[in-house]
Amino acid sequence: EEMFKALQMAENGCKEMGREADFAKSRLEEVENRYENLQRRAYSVSTDLEDQRSKENDRVTNINHEQQILRKQNIGLERRLNELVQTNSDLNSQLNCLLYTSPSPRDRQKSRMPSSA
């Protein structure tokens, strides 16, 4: 009978160990699933960040290109403005010259009149 009890205790111990092993196995599977999910999420976040970085680099490249175009346009506009300023200055000089050198109609009439008048 003692041997029977010992066998029964051993059997109960094995059953308990089996339940603990099953529990440990299910916990391990749960942890592995969580780990795989975390890996997938980390990969997804990494991919999203890389996409955002690439888009941002494209935006910076586009902005730099637009800045170069605007600088070239600005240089062209500055040259044209300088040309217009020079033309305006030339026209003003010519206008002043005309104003000071051209006789008025009244001056012509006086010059035609005899000096004895």
Side-chain angles (χ1 to χ4, degrees):
E1 187 170 315
E2 282 184 32
M3 193 156 169
F4 179 74
K5 285 182 183 180
L7 285 173
Q8 203 171 23
M9 284 178 59
E11 184 180 343
N12 288 340
C14 285
K15 286 180 184 178
E16 182 64 28
M17 287 175 66
R19 284 191 292 269
E20 288 176 5
D22 288 344
F23 177 75
K25 183 180 175 183
S26 70
R27 288 291 293 149
L28 178 61
E29 288 172 358
E30 188 179 312
V31 168
E32 287 174 344
N33 287 337
R34 285 183 182 175
Y35 178 74
E36 288 173 9
N37 287 337
L38 287 173
Q39 280 183 318
R40 280 193 292 272
R41 285 181 17 208
Y43 177 78
S44 176
V45 167
S46 174
T47 303
D48 289 346
L49 286 174
E50 188 60 37
D51 289 347
Q52 288 176 0
R53 187 178 300 123
S54 176
K55 288 177 185 175
E56 191 62 29
N57 286 339
D58 290 346
R59 276 188 229 130
V60 168
T61 300
N62 288 338
I63 288 170
N64 287 338
H65 181 69
E66 288 175 11
Q67 283 178 334
Q68 289 174 351
I69 291 171
L70 290 173
R71 281 188 194 114
K72 288 177 184 177
Q73 289 175 348
N74 189 42
I75 290 169
L77 290 173
E78 285 176 351
R79 286 181 185 154
R80 183 66 182 136
L81 177 62
N82 288 336
E83 290 170 3
L84 291 172
V85 166
Q86 184 61 45
T87 300
N88 185 44
S89 177
D90 292 346
L91 289 174
N92 280 336
S93 296
Q94 292 171 7
L95 180 61
N96 287 336
C97 181
L98 287 174
L99 288 175
Y100 290 115
T101 60
S102 297
S104 70
R106 196 167 55 184
D107 290 340
R108 275 191 231 137
Q109 288 172 358
K110 287 181 181 180
S111 64
R112 287 187 189 162
M113 295 180 75
S115 56
S116 61

